[in-house]
């Protein structure tokens, strides 16, 4: 049982330089186990590789994992509904009792926040990153936040330095 | 029988010696790679800017299928649409007033309660009643429909009958109260 060991080191010494180079490349490529067109079954079995390892190598890389945020989800919903419910007695008190610093102060905070949440829902529905792009949506959202802050400031200034929100509505409605 | 499986370029053994430069260039691109491996890539670009960008540009030029214009008008989605539209309108007016009051001193514009009330006093009575109705109706509709929404959040009136009955109540009450407010 004489094995043909043409690529063995013993045989190489007797071949021509060019053939030596060729056989050296052939043997080195087999040892490196480079995949040309399909995985070599012999190298896989000798390296202890199973089909699970092959499939694991092709697992899709997760794009982004989002950590749960309490600000989103049901807490946001609860806050929105509580705010809306509070507006009913607030408007009723404003209409029945008239101007009062506490009523006007609360209105100057609750109404802008309620408006902001409504505008935010509209931005989420109509001006999302899908049609405005990532930065377009960011610009709109931050502009809305800035405008809401300005509205809060304006309401505070009007309630403190001017007649107040309830009195304004009463006077301008009956002007 | 078949020629030995050696790297292809080595079949040139015995040919005339090429120049040194040509030989090194040849060696870099040919000799060090056995048969079966591509040296130069023939695959297309995988960059998103090259492959996906033309598709996005195509989408921008395509028309949108009709949606709001072809769906049967129903109380449900009409009232939902007006709830959002009127809410946005009233909020825009409120924001304009509040933000205007905040930034008026910076622009030098005289914007305070006295200026507003005196400006409104100059408007004719008929126009005032019409304007008050136009301002009041979105407010009353949004408020009463908002209460209807809150009722749904407590799982009340969640049937088709409940939705339609409460819907008609909101429509009637909002119109009556807006007319009442306009006549104050």
């Amino acid at each position: 049982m004489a094995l043909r060991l043409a690529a063995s080191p013993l045989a190489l010494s007797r071949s021509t330089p060019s053939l030596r180079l060729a056989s050296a490349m052939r043997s080195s490529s087999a040892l490196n186990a480079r995949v040309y067109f399909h995985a070599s079954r012999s190298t896989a079995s000798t390296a202890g590789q199973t089909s699970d390892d092959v499939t694991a190598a092709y697992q899709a890389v997760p794009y982004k994992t989002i950590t749960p945020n309490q600000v989103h989800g049901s807490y946001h919903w609860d806050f929105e509904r509580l705010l809306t419910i509070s507006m009913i007695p607030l408007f009723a008190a404003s209409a029945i009792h008239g101007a009062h610093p506490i009523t006007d102060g609360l209105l100057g905070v609750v109404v802008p926040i309620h408006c902001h949440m409504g505008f935010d829902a509209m931005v989420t529905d109509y001006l999302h990153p899908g049609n405005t792009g990532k930065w377009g949506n960011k610009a709109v959202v931050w502009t809305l936040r800035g405008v809401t802050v300005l509205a809060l400031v304006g309401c505070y200034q009007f309630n403190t330095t001017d007649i107040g929100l309830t009195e304004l509505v009463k006077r301008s409605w009956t002007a | 029988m078949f020629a030995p499986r050696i790297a292809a370029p080595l079949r040139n053994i015995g040919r005339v010696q090429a120049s040194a430069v040509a030989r090194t260039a040849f060696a870099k691109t040919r000799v060090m790679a056995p048969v079966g491996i591509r040296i130069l890539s023939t695959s297309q670009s995988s960059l998103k800017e090259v492959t996906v960008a033309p598709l996005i540009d195509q989408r921008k030029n395509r028309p949108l299928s009709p949606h709001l214009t072809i769906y049967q008008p129903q109380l449900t989605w009409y009232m939902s649409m007006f709830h959002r539209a009127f809410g946005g309108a009233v909020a825009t007016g409120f924001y304009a007033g509040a933000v205007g009051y905040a930034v008026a001193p910076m622009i030098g514009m005289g914007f305070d309660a006295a200026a507003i009330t005196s400006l409104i006093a100059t408007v004719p009575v008929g126009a005032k009643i019409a304007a008050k109705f136009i301002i009041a109706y979105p407010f009353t509709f949004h408020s009463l429909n908002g209460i209807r929404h809150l009722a749904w959040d407590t799982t009340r009136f969640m049937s088709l009958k409940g939705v339609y009955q409460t819907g008609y109540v909101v429509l009637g009450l909002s119109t009556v109260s807006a007319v009442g407010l306009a006549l104050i």
Side-chain angles (χ1 to χ4, degrees), chain B residues 15-40:
Chain B
R15 290 194 187 169
V16 177
Q17 282 281 0
S19 68
V21 172
R23 255 188 290 124
T24 46
F26 193 72
K28 277 179 190 170
T29 56
R30 295 280 185 271
V31 176
M32 296 314 294
V35 175
I37 283 213
R38 284 178 187 160
I39 301 128
L40 300 169

Side-chain angles (χ1 to χ4, degrees), chain A residues 18 22 25 36 77 81 91 111-112 115-116 119 122 125-126 147-148 151 154-155 158 161-163 171-173 175, chain B residues 5-7 10 13 31 36-37 84 88 91-92 94-95 98-99 101-102 112-113 117 120 128 132 139 150 153 181:
Chain A
S18 52
M25 284 198 301
Y36 297 164
W77 190 92
R81 307 300 140 144
F91 273 93
V111 172
C115 295
H116 176 84
F119 281 135
M122 290 171 82
D125 285 345
Y126 308 131
V147 173
T148 303
C155 285
F158 192 82
T161 62
D162 216 314
I163 51 174
R171 284 192 202 177
S172 58
W173 204 258
Chain B
R5 192 178 161 77
I6 52 174
L10 291 179
I13 295 159
V31 176
I37 283 213
R84 177 168 269 193
T92 305
F94 181 82
Y95 266 38
V99 172
Y101 188 81
D112 63 336
T117 47
I120 292 169
K128 257 195 281 196
K132 277 192 228 172
F139 177 76
L150 289 170
D153 290 334
L181 281 173

Side-chain angles (χ1 to χ4, degrees), chain B residues 33-83:
Chain B
V35 175
I37 283 213
R38 284 178 187 160
I39 301 128
L40 300 169
S41 172
T42 55
S43 61
Q44 291 176 329
S45 169
S46 60
L47 294 167
K48 215 173 12 164
E49 297 83 40
V50 179
T51 57
V52 176
L55 297 170
I56 295 171
D57 290 334
Q58 283 177 337
R59 274 176 224 151
K60 285 176 190 168
N61 291 331
R62 284 188 206 129
L64 196 63
S65 301
H67 45 291
L68 295 171
T69 46
I70 58 164
Y71 202 93
Q72 184 193 47
Q74 289 170 336
L75 191 88
T76 46
W77 67 274
Y78 259 54
M79 284 191 76
S80 176
M81 183 174 72
F82 282 117
H83 183 75

Side-chain angles (χ1 to χ4, degrees), chain A residues 90 93-94 97-109 155-156 158-167:
Chain A
L90 205 56
S94 169
H97 189 265
H100 192 281
I102 296 176
T103 319
D104 290 338
L106 283 173
L107 277 170
V109 167
C155 285
Y156 173 79
F158 192 82
N159 284 329
T160 50
T161 62
D162 216 314
I163 51 174
L165 290 165
T166 311
E167 194 58 31

Side-chain angles (χ1 to χ4, degrees), chain B residues 125-155:
Chain B
V125 176
K128 257 195 281 196
I129 293 175
K132 277 192 228 172
F133 180 79
I134 290 167
I135 293 169
Y137 186 71
F139 177 76
T140 55
F141 181 91
H142 185 82
S143 304
L144 290 166
N145 204 35
I147 295 170
R148 183 166 163 246
H149 261 88
L150 289 170
W152 286 334
D153 290 334
T154 63
T155 73

Side-chain angles (χ1 to χ4, degrees), chain A residues 37-70:
Chain A
F37 302 112
H38 57 269
S40 166
R41 241 176 282 142
S42 58
T43 49
S45 54
T46 51
Q49 207 180 22
T50 60
S51 61
D52 287 322
D53 299 327
V54 176
T55 50
Y58 293 101
Q59 232 172 31
V61 177
Y63 174 62
K64 209 182 209 182
T65 46
I66 303 163
T67 51
N69 192 345
Q70 276 187 345

